Amino acid sequence: MPAIHRPADQLEVFKIAATDTNKFALIADPVRDQVPFFACVEIFEPGGATPPNTHADAHEMFFVLSGTGTARAGDVERPIGPGDSVVVKPGHEHVIANTGPDRLYTLTVMIPNEGFAELIRSGLKASLDGRDLAALTGAALTETASTGPSA
């Protein structure tokens, strides 16, 4: 197959652990797609963050789709919001945190994979809700999708 196409509502979604505040909607990874990188939409609940982590060989990129937060690499911390990108070079500890009142959505890419896809796939299956699908597709969130059926 020369190309991979997946609509947002067909992305596989995982949490690494049940108590995690982040979930990962997988776009492409070496396990399933035989590509040399990992790409997902990472979804951070309010107050959620990545654990402090460092990659020996991988570059990791976060592009903010919506929401607000902070990005820390080494001793430098900056606010991030829609349209901002953060590229972390190998060997630097980093944290992305959601400091806003709504979910933070980032396009997250790691190259090379460095075992990240395998770590995520070893976690728990999760799903996208109406807010997630609206954020990923640019669709208007309906009252029914955000609060449930009306009485």
Side-chain angles (χ1 to χ4, degrees):
M1 176 181 261
I4 299 165
H5 172 258
R6 290 188 183 94
D9 64 353
Q10 294 178 17
L11 298 176
E12 288 183 276
V13 182
F14 294 89
K15 284 183 147 190
I16 295 174
T19 57
D20 283 354
T21 57
N22 299 5
K23 58 186 176 183
F24 303 86
L26 306 186
I27 296 170
D29 71 83
V31 174
R32 176 186 56 200
D33 304 311
Q34 294 76 51
V35 295
F37 63 92
F38 173 84
C40 73
V41 174
E42 192 165 355
I43 303 166
F44 300 75
E45 291 294 334
T50 62
N53 67 96
T54 305
H55 307 293
D57 299 310
H59 288 77
E60 189 168 16
M61 186 272 310
F62 301 88
F63 180 83
V64 180
L65 301 169
S66 66
T68 57
T70 58
R72 180 183 62 76
D75 294 331
V76 178
E77 184 171 288
R78 300 231 191 302
I80 56 173
D84 289 340
S85 60
V86 177
V87 177
V88 182
K89 295 181 178 180
H92 296 278
E93 183 180 87
H94 56 282
V95 173
I96 303 294
N98 181 351
T99 58
D102 300 314
R103 289 179 181 157
L104 171 65
Y105 294 85
T106 65
L107 171 63
T108 302
V109 177
M110 185 180 297
I111 188 164
N113 171 56
E114 204 171 279
F116 196 46
E118 294 82 354
L119 172 66
I120 289 171
R121 286 183 168 282
S122 72
L124 305 168
K125 284 273 194 177
S127 61
L128 300 175
D129 64 20
R131 286 189 293 165
D132 297 330
L133 288 170
L136 297 182
T137 63
L141 182 62
T142 65
E143 187 66 21
T144 301
S146 63
T147 61
S150 13

